[in-house]
Amino acid sequence: MFRFRRLRQDERIRSMMRETRLHPKDFIYPVFVEEGENIKSPVDSMPGVYRYSVDRLDEILKRVKKSGIGGIMLFGIPAHKDEIASQAYAADGVTQRAVAYIRQSYPEIYIVVDVCLCEYTSHGHCGVVCGDRILNDETLPLLSKMAVSLAQAGADMIAPSDMMDGRVAAIRTALDLAGFSQTPIMAYSAKFSSAYYGPFRDAAQSAPGFGDRKSYQMDPANGQEALREIAQDMEEGADIVMVKPGLAYLDVLKEAALQFDMPLAVYNVSGEYAMVKAAAMQGWIDERRIVTENLTAMKRAGAKIIITYHALDMAAWLAEEENAG
Ligand code: PBG
Ligand code: ZN
């Protein structure tokens, strides 16, 4: 009889047989930067996550640096929001200032910046609004300006999350023209219209003021279409393509890994984090084991990069394991 259990007898052999191993470099940690001074404000629905003003970023950046993770993903929250998201591409916008500060003070930290208008518009939509419609082509120049201004501030990578059609091509062209042909684009390609973004919208103060995002983000029911979105972004010049959220969409991630010879990212989003945290705080689940299992599943399904609010905790747990030998 073949006995699978022969190779499961103890941790020495199990660790040799392990197919998927997490490493701190797998992770990107989202960081929220708010305009103002001396701010560290907790995000209620995301225990352990805070919004920082630029002058208090050191606290989190020191931890990032020590953790050895792959990088950070920045989200800016401006004081002033308007119809045309002017703070999204202002040279002295909060996000640009945060990038410049980190670039100067932490040259070793890899800075990815989320490019989208929703944190910067008065209506909270990811694009330019006319009446109750979200305009596509009118949004592209604003996203392009935002991407260029962030590259100028010192961003390493640009991550468009708006889901307008044609934005990867528009941003690629704009970056190239501005002299940033070496700046990679990580496209939120298969980004679903998901209730799992709820806590993020508290954190980033970016909930749409009217309607929803269903006319630009994907229908959660559509796996086939997700693959076409990914193929399209590859064609337009994306360097890395992303599936978002993670856990409920691992089938999409796996299928993309099988079909495309491309680096894949997955976003383990705010609602996934909130659910784990809430249950862990009640003592209903073992946080460390659950998080390890979730992130391992994402890597096993094909993710090269995992964007996760658990990044610093997971890196610390991995270091602990390493030290334990
Ligand atoms: C901005 C953006 C969102 C997220 C990443 N970029 C929110 C949204 O689309 O409403 C979600 C991240 C998370 O939930 O952790 N467009
Ligand atoms: Zn948006």
Side-chain angles (χ1 to χ4, degrees):
M1 182 169 65
F2 188 82
R3 295 180 185 274
F4 284 97
R5 295 183 55 189
R6 286 182 199 121
L7 302 182
R8 291 178 198 157
Q9 288 185 68
D10 64 42
E11 185 53 24
R12 292 170 307 156
I13 183 66
R14 283 195 297 271
S15 72
M16 242 190 289
M17 298 314 297
R18 195 155 293 139
E19 298 174 30
T20 309
R21 244 181 255 281
L22 293 171
H23 189 277
K25 293 289 178 217
D26 298 333
F27 310 128
I28 290 181
Y29 183 65
V31 173
F32 298 100
V33 193
E34 180 176 353
E35 191 138 18
E37 270 162 43
N38 197 23
I39 298 169
K40 179 189 178 185
S41 61
V43 180
D44 292 338
S45 49
M46 300 175 74
V49 174
Y50 298 83
R51 290 192 299 260
Y52 298 90
S53 49
V54 177
D55 60 338
R56 300 235 358 218
L57 273 178
D58 285 327
E59 177 179 327
I60 196 71
L61 296 173
K62 279 182 195 149
R63 289 184 58 203
V64 167
K65 185 172 161 181
K66 223 180 107 202
S67 71
I69 63 169
I72 60 171
M73 167 102 101
L74 265 192
F75 294 92
I77 304 147
H80 169 77
K81 306 190 187 217
D82 57 32
E83 290 269 309
I84 53 167
S86 45
Q87 290 302 300
Y89 40 85
D92 62 348
V94 61
T95 319
Q96 285 77 3
R97 280 186 285 116
V99 170
Y101 172 72
I102 301 167
R103 177 73 308 128
Q104 197 195 356
S105 306
Y106 298 84
E108 59 281 276
I109 294 183
Y110 196 86
I111 311 170
V112 184
V113 191
D114 183 271
V115 164
C116 194
L117 303 187
C118 55
E119 292 118 71
Y120 305 85
T121 50
S122 40
H123 45 68
H125 274 291
C126 304
V128 174
V129 161
C130 179
D132 58 0
R133 292 188 320 143
I134 293 61
L135 305 179
N136 194 90
D137 297 9
E138 289 75 359
T139 301
L140 302 183
L142 303 190
L143 295 169
S144 301
K145 274 206 283 187
M146 182 179 182
V148 169
S149 80
L150 291 166
Q152 279 163 347
D156 288 298
M157 183 183 279
I158 295 298
S161 69
D162 53 283
M163 289 300 277
M164 299 300 128
D165 287 317
R167 92 270 209 213
V168 172
I171 290 171
R172 183 70 274 158
T173 303
L175 286 173
D176 290 353
L177 273 172
F180 296 102
S181 60
Q182 282 296 319
T183 304
I185 296 175
M186 175 163 66
Y188 288 68
S189 302
K191 177 174 178 179
F192 292 88
S193 176
S194 172
Y196 282 104
Y197 309 153
F200 173 94
R201 292 178 192 172
D202 296 338
Q205 297 164 350
S206 65
F210 67 89
D212 52 43
R213 302 209 201 289
K214 290 180 186 165
S215 77
Y216 43 106
Q217 297 181 351
M218 289 192 59
D219 184 333
N222 295 0
Q224 247 357 91
E225 189 189 357
L227 299 172
R228 293 176 57 212
E229 279 276 10
I230 292 170
Q232 177 70 31
D233 283 355
M234 287 167 58
E235 193 129 307
E236 289 184 30
D239 299 280
I240 300 171
V241 288
M242 190 198 301
V243 173
K244 174 185 175 204
L247 289 175
Y249 299 87
L250 290 186
D251 58 327
V252 174
L253 182 63
K254 177 72 187 186
E255 196 59 41
L258 291 172
Q259 284 201 23
F260 304 118
D261 184 16
M262 274 290 278
L264 290 170
V266 68
Y267 201 139
N268 175 216
V269 301
S270 57
E272 300 174 79
Y273 175 84
M275 292 195 304
V276 168
K277 281 300 212 188
M281 285 163 77
Q282 296 282 336
W284 292 343
I285 56 166
D286 179 331
E287 180 175 359
R288 178 172 173 165
R289 289 190 56 205
I290 290 271
V291 170
T292 304
E293 193 170 326
N294 285 351
L295 300 179
T296 301
M298 292 175 202
K299 189 163 179 178
R300 190 193 64 224
K304 178 89 195 133
I305 290 176
I306 304 171
I307 301 153
T308 179
Y309 303 95
H310 298 293
L312 298 181
D313 289 336
M314 193 67 238
W317 293 327
L318 289 169
E320 216 176 283
E321 265 172 48
E322 184 97 331
N323 292 336

